[in-house]
């Protein structure tokens, strides 16, 4: 679908922001999936997006790097307007790593080669330098002993960690995660979340679509709850997950956290808190 030529282009990015979206709309035929979504991610932030299936979460994430073309609205990454028709989108995407639900590894390449491919084909690095970078990032995600294994020889959790290492190898400024654990067996989820926690602790800017409420509450600086293509509630995880203000957020979290007791709209008892809760991570800016 082509972009709406009447979309306003007078917005300007916030100085210092890593990524921003302004009034994003997205239609698939007659179905409006995004209905005017705006957000901002600052350097070092971990922003988690939660909400029911079909609420527009993944579409929003894909619009942030133009894997889906917004119907209207604007996207900026590091001050560059991605929705400018003349932008070099391939160059702009080098600032963003993307981790999908289904790994998207090349089956004919081993873990090392999957991580090297973008370095040699996009960044035009030599094989020796690309190999060093790929190895370093596979070590970072705990796969130092699986570098020469092919995807079919790896578990789902290991494949997802290869996908994370592949994105990290491009040295991105921001990582986008689209429900990275949704295709995994429950016992493999923790390995991937542990890698993501370490990235957050290391200061990586992250925009994460997730159903993992404990991860969102434990790691996120801010949480967005989406429903029906709109942002319903946004704030720190202690508020949005621990004590949500909006009735729709309360009902969603009650269904997720207490699935054996499904509340109806109008029953506004707040969701049970998740325990234990780690202290909120601090950023250097908090100490100035």
């Amino acid at each position: 679908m082509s972009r709406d030529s009447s979309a306003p282009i007078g917005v300007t990015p916030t100085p210092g922001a890593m990524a921003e979206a302004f009034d994003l709309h997205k239609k698939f035929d007659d179905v409006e999936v995004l209905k005017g979504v705006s957000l901002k991610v600052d350097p070092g932030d971990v922003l988690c997006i939660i909400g029911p299936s079909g609420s527009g979460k993944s579409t929003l994430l894909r619009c942030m790097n133009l894997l889906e073309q917004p119907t209207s609205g604007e996207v900026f990454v590091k001050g560059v307007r991605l929705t400018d028709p003349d932008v070099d989108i391939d160059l702009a995407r080098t600032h963003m790593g993307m981790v999908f639900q289904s790994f998207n590894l090349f089956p004919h390449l081993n873990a090392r080669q999957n991580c090297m491919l973008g370095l040699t084909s996009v960044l035009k690095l030599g094989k020796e330098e690309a190999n060093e970078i790929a190895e370093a990032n596979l070590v970072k995600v705990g796969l130092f002993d699986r570098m020469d294994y092919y995807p079919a020889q790896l578990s789902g959790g290991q494949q997802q960690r290869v996908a994370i290492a592949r994105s990290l190898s491009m040295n991105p400024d921001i990582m986008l995660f689209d429900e990275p654990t949704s295709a995994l067996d429950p016992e493999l989820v923790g390995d991937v979340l542990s890698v993501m926690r370490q990235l957050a602790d290391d200061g990586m800017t992250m925009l994460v679509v997730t159903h993992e409420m404990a991860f969102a509450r434990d790691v996120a600086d801010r949480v967005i709850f989406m429903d029906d293509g709109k942002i319903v509630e946004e704030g720190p995880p202690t508020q949005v997950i621990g004590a949500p203000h909006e009735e729709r957020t309360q009902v969603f979290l009650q269904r997720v956290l207490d699935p054996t007791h499904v509340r109806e709209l109008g029953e506004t008892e707040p969701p049970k808190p998740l325990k234990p809760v780690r202290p909120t991570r601090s950023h250097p800016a908090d100490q100035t």
Side-chain angles (χ1 to χ4, degrees):
M1 177 175 290
S2 62
R3 249 178 70 81
D4 182 354
S5 60
S6 65
I9 60 173
V11 296
T12 56
T14 303
M18 180 64 73
E20 286 185 283
F22 293 92
D23 196 28
L24 283 186
H25 292 255
K26 177 62 181 179
K27 286 185 176 181
F28 293 99
D29 298 323
D30 294 329
V31 178
E32 190 172 18
V33 179
L34 296 180
K35 303 176 181 179
V37 174
S38 299
L39 62 82
K40 178 169 74 76
V41 187
D42 289 321
D45 271 359
V46 178
L47 177 58
C48 285
I49 304 173
I50 64 173
S53 297
S55 59
K57 307 183 303 296
S58 293
T59 299
L60 171 60
L61 203 69
R62 293 174 68 85
C63 283
M64 291 299 294
N65 65 359
L66 262 63
L67 289 176
E68 293 288 353
Q69 182 72 46
T71 305
S72 65
E74 303 299 333
V75 176
F76 292 87
V77 173
K78 296 193 72 176
V80 176
R81 182 178 160 233
L82 268 60
T83 37
D84 183 340
D86 297 323
V87 73
D88 184 341
I89 189 60
D90 291 330
L91 177 62
R93 283 190 184 128
T94 62
H95 296 289
M96 297 178 284
M98 181 78 177
V99 179
F100 301 89
Q101 298 178 33
S102 54
F103 322 141
N104 287 3
L105 299 177
F106 291 102
H108 64 291
L109 301 178
N110 62 32
R112 183 197 311 268
Q113 293 165 335
N114 264 283
C115 293
M116 290 175 60
L117 184 61
L119 295 170
T120 56
S121 62
V122 178
L123 300 185
K124 306 301 182 185
L125 299 185
K127 287 188 177 180
E128 183 175 347
E129 183 178 4
N131 182 66
E132 291 179 0
I133 294 171
E135 286 189 356
N137 283 292
L138 286 166
V139 168
K140 183 179 291 187
V141 300
L143 293 175
F144 60 93
D145 59 343
R146 295 290 188 272
M147 295 185 185
D148 296 316
Y149 283 50
Y150 288 84
Q153 299 172 301
L154 300 172
S155 70
Q158 290 170 337
Q159 290 184 60
Q160 192 61 293
R161 283 187 280 157
V162 173
I164 293 172
R166 177 179 59 184
S167 291
L168 290 175
S169 294
M170 300 296 286
N171 194 28
D173 296 298
I174 181 172
M175 289 281 286
L176 311 180
F177 292 88
D178 185 10
E179 298 188 26
T181 61
S182 64
L184 301 180
D185 291 336
E187 63 181 351
L188 303 177
V189 168
D191 293 338
V192 174
L193 294 182
S194 292
V195 171
M196 294 172 64
R197 286 172 188 265
Q198 187 59 57
L199 291 178
D201 289 341
D202 291 343
M204 173 62 73
T205 308
M206 298 164 62
L207 184 56
V208 184
V209 170
T210 184
H211 288 298
E212 302 291 342
M213 295 299 112
F215 174 85
R217 182 162 188 173
D218 204 13
V219 178
D221 297 292
R222 287 185 296 128
V223 175
I224 285 176
F225 172 68
M226 288 186 65
D227 188 40
D228 192 29
K230 296 174 287 188
I231 292 177
V232 176
E233 190 162 356
E234 178 178 1
T238 51
Q239 175 219 308
V240 177
I241 298 178
H245 297 162
E246 299 296 327
E247 181 179 0
R248 182 63 187 95
T249 316
Q250 294 170 6
V251 171
F252 169 77
L253 287 169
Q254 186 66 59
R255 289 173 174 171
V256 171
L257 302 179
D258 187 12
T260 60
H261 184 148
V262 178
R263 294 185 177 276
E264 301 295 335
L265 281 170
E267 293 187 79
T268 57
E269 179 181 331
K272 297 176 182 178
L274 293 174
K275 296 180 181 180
V277 178
R278 295 194 321 180
T280 303
R281 295 184 306 111
S282 61
H283 291 291
D286 298 329
Q287 303 171 10
T288 58

